[in-house]
Amino acid sequence: MRRLNRKKTLNLMKELDAFPKVPESYVETSVSGGTVSLIAFTTIAFLTVMEFTVYRDTWMKYEYEVDKDFTSKLRINIDITVAMRCQYVGADVLDLAETMVASADGLIYEPVIFDLSPQQKEWQRMLQLIQSRLQEEHSLQDVIFKSAFKSASTALPPREDNSLQSPDACRIHGHLYVNKVAGNFHITVGKAIPHPRGHAHLAALVSHESYNFSHRIDHLSFGELIPGIINPLDGTEKIASDHNQMFQYFITIVPTKLHTYKISAETHQFSVTERERVINHAAGSHGVSGIFMKYDISSLMVTVTEEHMPFWQFLVRLCGIIGGIFSTTGILHGFGRFVAEVIFCRFRLGSSKSTSVPLPDGHTSNHLPLSTDNSTH
């Protein structure tokens, strides 16, 4: 009884077979079919490797929404070197809410040498090269996002030459927390002092001849400090051509949430435009000598997420490649054989046309001559 049920089950499974087997005696092989099969297998192998490479790769997905966080503080990370002594310059922030944040709240004034050592010059040259490539190929920004926290530090390396030259510049570095409103971070002559109507800088005791706002921006970012991220102003160097030089940077900040397979952080991207001019009150060019970074915060927030192809999608694409190539090559092979048979049949018909046979009465016969067997002669 069990054998009978098992036999019925096997017969039922045979009837459900969607892949009928063709006896080998019915299968005809050919050189052209073998050549096409070899081409098909090679193409399948190549496309499978390429598809696996795509499957292993990831891409960045950008989503936009309104930034509803207006109560938190904005962190400004600063590392700027000015070609003046530290006692001659002062840095602070003044925002639209008339809130002043002094540099003493988080910035360090360090006397340094403005000229870079050979190793530092090489670092700056490479950083400027990367900046130029980023402006031409925006897709490189995705590579930087993926390599965050994994790449080498983008900070200026320390001097390796142990120069005995006395410091002639001031490195202002550290971070400040400000309100999430538009503001102005500036470095100008004299230390900042509080004022009932705003703020002022004590510049009367500084000689006008000592003004030199040549500067180098080794790092400027907003939000959480993420090693490996290169910001638009990193590596910028400006040389003042006059004592009364004003450098202005107009910055638009975009809050950004970064989610990759390695990190999850809240940072800020920004774009910047630059302007510089010489202060000359007689010519109508008014202002104050110094470095001014006027920033504004966008109301939109960008969420950058690293995505990966699902495994099921990889299998579907792989099946599509294998089935599609087999179907396409089969159709092309069949069409090629059809064309070849048509051409060769016409050639055979042309070569086998009837030949003229002369008759004794002068007429010709267009009938084909009967073939004879030489063995009967």
Side-chain angles (χ1 to χ4, degrees):
M1 189 67 179
R2 290 182 178 177
R3 290 183 178 179
L4 183 60
N5 293 334
R6 183 178 181 183
K7 198 171 184 180
K8 289 182 179 179
T9 304
L10 293 176
N11 291 334
L12 179 62
M13 296 301 295
K14 288 182 179 180
E15 292 179 0
L16 296 176
D17 187 5
F19 308 97
K21 310 301 182 294
V22 180
E24 293 184 2
S25 58
Y26 295 165
V27 178
E28 180 182 357
T29 58
S30 62
V31 176
S32 61
T35 304
V36 173
S37 299
L38 183 60
I39 295 174
F41 292 145
T42 305
T43 306
I44 289 174
F46 174 74
L47 292 182
T48 300
V49 173
M50 296 297 295
E51 189 65 26
F52 182 71
T53 304
V54 174
Y55 169 72
R56 291 187 59 189
D57 194 16
T58 59
W59 61 89
M60 308 306 291
K61 179 181 178 182
Y62 292 81
E63 297 178 334
Y64 302 89
E65 60 180 318
V66 176
D67 184 15
K68 300 178 182 179
D69 181 14
F70 53 86
T71 58
S72 62
K73 293 288 187 177
L74 175 65
R75 171 170 168 160
I76 306 179
N77 306 298
I78 302 163
D79 191 350
I80 302 176
T81 302
V82 184
M84 292 179 65
R85 297 185 181 276
C86 291
Q87 61 266 29
Y88 295 158
V89 294
D92 62 343
V93 178
L94 185 66
D95 59 27
L96 289 183
E98 297 183 356
T99 302
M100 178 180 138
V101 181
S103 60
D105 295 337
L107 296 183
I108 300 173
Y109 292 78
E110 178 184 351
V112 293
I113 301 173
F114 187 77
D115 292 333
L116 297 175
S117 65
Q119 182 180 349
Q120 291 175 328
K121 288 182 180 178
E122 181 65 20
W123 172 87
Q124 186 186 35
R125 188 186 67 83
M126 292 298 299
L127 191 56
Q128 291 175 348
L129 178 61
I130 295 175
Q131 292 284 19
S132 63
R133 293 293 300 273
L134 282 173
Q135 294 177 1
E136 298 173 358
E137 303 178 23
H138 299 286
S139 59
L140 290 179
Q141 185 63 47
D142 292 349
V143 179
I144 293 177
F145 280 149
K146 294 178 187 178
S147 62
F149 279 131
K150 295 190 300 182
S151 60
S153 174
T154 57
L156 178 69
R159 301 186 68 93
E160 79 284 354
D161 53 357
N162 295 324
S163 177
L164 299 178
Q165 180 182 349
S166 60
D168 58 353
C170 184
R171 178 191 175 196
I172 305 173
H173 60 98
H175 61 271
L176 297 173
Y177 288 95
V178 298
N179 299 320
K180 288 188 69 173
V181 295
N184 181 5
F185 169 76
H186 52 272
I187 302 173
T188 187
V189 179
K191 300 299 180 181
I193 56 175
H195 193 273
R197 297 183 179 180
H199 81 294
H201 287 260
L202 190 60
L205 301 179
V206 181
S207 172
H208 185 269
E209 298 299 325
S210 63
Y211 287 16
N212 184 4
F213 284 100
S214 300
H215 63 280
R216 183 176 61 253
I217 304 175
D218 297 324
H219 180 80
L220 179 69
S221 65
F222 299 86
E224 183 178 349
L225 186 60
I226 303 177
I229 298 295
I230 299 177
N231 297 278
L233 286 176
D234 293 355
T236 300
E237 184 176 79
K238 299 289 184 180
I239 304 300
S241 59
D242 192 273
H243 294 294
N244 290 331
Q245 192 93 358
M246 172 190 280
F247 297 92
Q248 293 176 303
Y249 299 92
F250 301 93
I251 301 173
T252 302
I253 305 170
V254 180
T256 304
K257 290 184 178 180
L258 181 61
H259 301 287
T260 68
Y261 289 104
K262 298 294 182 181
I263 66 169
S264 180
E266 294 187 6
T267 181
H268 292 72
Q269 301 180 84
F270 65 90
S271 62
V272 60
T273 55
E274 305 175 10
R275 184 189 177 195
E276 59 182 81
R277 59 189 175 93
V278 176
I279 303 301
N280 188 348
H281 298 286
S285 178
H286 304 291
V288 179
S289 304
I291 305 166
F292 297 86
M293 297 183 177
K294 299 181 179 181
Y295 59 87
D296 193 6
I297 303 177
S298 173
S299 59
L300 291 179
M301 180 176 63
V302 182
T303 301
V304 184
T305 308
E306 185 178 8
E307 293 192 344
H308 186 273
M309 181 188 296
F311 183 70
W312 64 266
Q313 187 175 353
F314 168 71
L315 291 181
V316 170
R317 292 166 64 99
L318 196 61
C319 292
I321 289 174
I322 297 175
I325 290 178
F326 268 119
S327 300
T328 304
T329 53
I331 293 173
L332 293 177
H333 181 239
F335 181 75
R337 289 189 63 179
F338 172 75
V339 173
E341 288 178 359
V342 170
I343 295 175
F344 284 123
C345 284
R346 289 185 177 180
F347 178 76
R348 289 174 183 173
L349 289 174
S351 62
S352 302
K353 286 184 178 179
S354 59
T355 56
S356 299
V357 179
L359 297 177
D361 57 357
H363 294 82
T364 59
S365 175
N366 292 327
H367 296 287
L368 293 175
L370 296 175
S371 59
T372 57
D373 191 355
N374 293 333
S375 60
T376 59
H377 291 283

